[in-house]
Amino acid sequence: MKIIKLNATDSTNSFLKDLSQNSTLENYTIVVTENQTKGRGQLNSNWVSEPSKNLTFSVFINFNSLKIINNKHLNFAISLSIFNVLKAKKILNLFIKWPNDILSGNKKICGILIENTFKGDKIKNSVIGIGLNVNQEIFPNFLNKVTSLKLETSFEYNLDELLKEIVIEIKKNIELLELEKFKLLEEKYLEVLYKKNIPTMFKNSKDEIFMGIISGISINGNLQIQLEDDSIKEFGIKEITFL
């Protein structure tokens, strides 16, 4: 595990992607920063983090034979890694909100951004960006549904130790992925999926509000929702909002 520590950078994912394109990286190379000035989330959303209080880092993972069609299982593996570490910290009411936000109750505690490089029908490598709220206690007003480990447990955490715990867990789940334990990963993910099998109000990209029940994840990673007429409809990232 090679760790590159930066005082500040715009985005650890961008830094690590550039590094991977210009040099040969050791598997599980990590870039971590105390101050991420332009953190990125899904579809160019922003990740805001108070300097020196949280974990903002990216991990480079090289794959031997992971097919693109199994991309959703990569997401399961990474999401479950964070979930498992936080569960061990006794974080209450822990869920994975599709596709890969980690929630305590209905408050976001961690965001994940996975960016892949492809070769033929396979994923050559991935840069996994993780933003975990750890010791931050005060958040900007526009972030009204967020929390942190310290807010949930009243403990102060060592960021270096927490980083190592997460990477060890990621390695375990990536090993399951490479052993093609796809069914196991999916079962574990669905067990802790936020609002699964619970009637929930949603809003689609046309601002239409409807009731549905999350039933699963499609082969291409979309969220499957059972509608009131019992039909199943799929939604991609940013095509649906929980109300």
Side-chain angles (χ1 to χ4, degrees):
M1 187 192 308
K2 180 180 180 181
I3 301 177
I4 300 169
K5 294 186 176 182
L6 305 174
N7 289 329
T9 189
D10 56 351
S11 160
T12 57
N13 256 38
S14 298
F15 185 95
L16 192 50
K17 281 173 66 180
D18 290 344
L19 199 62
S20 69
Q21 290 167 4
N22 296 311
S23 57
T24 301
L25 291 184
E26 182 182 317
N27 207 8
Y28 292 98
T29 294
I30 299 160
V31 171
V32 59
T33 185
E34 291 188 9
N35 183 13
Q36 185 170 238
T37 57
K38 293 181 181 178
R40 295 186 292 117
Q42 298 285 359
L43 296 183
N44 297 320
S45 61
N46 296 322
W47 182 262
V48 180
S49 179
E50 184 179 348
S52 304
K53 293 283 189 180
N54 306 306
L55 273 179
T56 46
F57 68 100
S58 297
V59 184
F60 176 83
I61 303 176
N62 207 42
F63 296 103
N64 295 319
S65 59
L66 181 62
K67 292 187 176 180
I68 295 171
I69 196 171
N70 292 313
N71 186 38
K72 72 171 185 176
H73 298 100
L74 169 60
N75 179 52
F76 297 162
I78 300 300
S79 303
L80 286 166
S81 299
I82 307 299
F83 180 92
N84 292 342
V85 170
L86 298 191
K87 187 176 180 181
K89 304 296 181 190
K90 308 299 183 186
I91 305 298
L92 299 178
N93 299 316
L94 206 58
F95 300 98
I96 299 173
K97 181 181 176 184
W98 176 84
N100 49 28
D101 285 342
I102 313 299
L103 305 184
S104 175
N106 65 345
K107 294 183 177 181
K108 186 171 178 176
I109 197 168
C110 180
I112 298 168
L113 177 64
I114 301 174
E115 297 184 291
N116 300 316
T117 299
F118 305 113
K119 186 175 183 180
D121 66 344
K122 294 179 181 178
I123 299 175
K124 182 181 177 184
N125 54 58
S126 295
V127 174
I128 314 292
I130 295 170
L132 176 61
N133 296 330
V134 183
N135 295 320
Q136 185 169 344
E137 296 179 272
I138 300 172
F139 292 87
N141 290 333
F142 63 88
L143 296 176
N144 58 352
K145 282 192 176 181
V146 297
T147 189
S148 68
L149 271 72
K150 188 169 184 180
L151 285 175
E152 295 301 317
T153 65
S154 300
F155 292 117
E156 185 92 11
Y157 291 85
N158 181 296
L159 297 180
D160 290 337
E161 289 178 4
L162 193 56
L163 172 62
K164 288 176 183 176
E165 288 178 38
I166 290 171
V167 176
I168 287 169
E169 193 66 25
I170 287 174
K171 285 184 174 182
K172 288 180 184 176
N173 281 315
I174 292 299
E175 184 177 346
L176 290 177
L177 186 68
E178 296 195 315
L179 290 171
E180 300 187 356
K181 302 290 186 180
F182 302 137
K183 185 178 180 182
L184 176 63
L185 287 167
E186 185 154 5
E187 286 174 352
K188 288 183 174 294
Y189 178 90
L190 292 177
E191 281 176 6
V192 297
L193 184 61
Y194 182 66
K195 296 289 189 181
K196 185 175 185 294
N197 294 331
I198 297 172
T200 304
M201 297 295 292
F202 300 95
K203 183 168 70 174
N204 64 21
S205 55
K206 297 178 182 179
D207 285 335
E208 297 168 337
I209 295 172
F210 65 95
M211 177 74 76
I213 298 174
I214 295 173
S215 59
I217 308 297
S218 71
I219 192 169
N220 57 359
N222 287 338
L223 188 66
Q224 295 175 319
I225 296 179
Q226 181 181 343
L227 304 179
E228 291 180 289
D229 63 1
D230 287 336
S231 64
I232 304 291
K233 189 169 183 180
E234 294 185 15
F235 295 88
I237 295 174
K238 301 297 184 183
E239 289 181 353
I240 193 168
T241 305
F242 290 76
L243 295 179

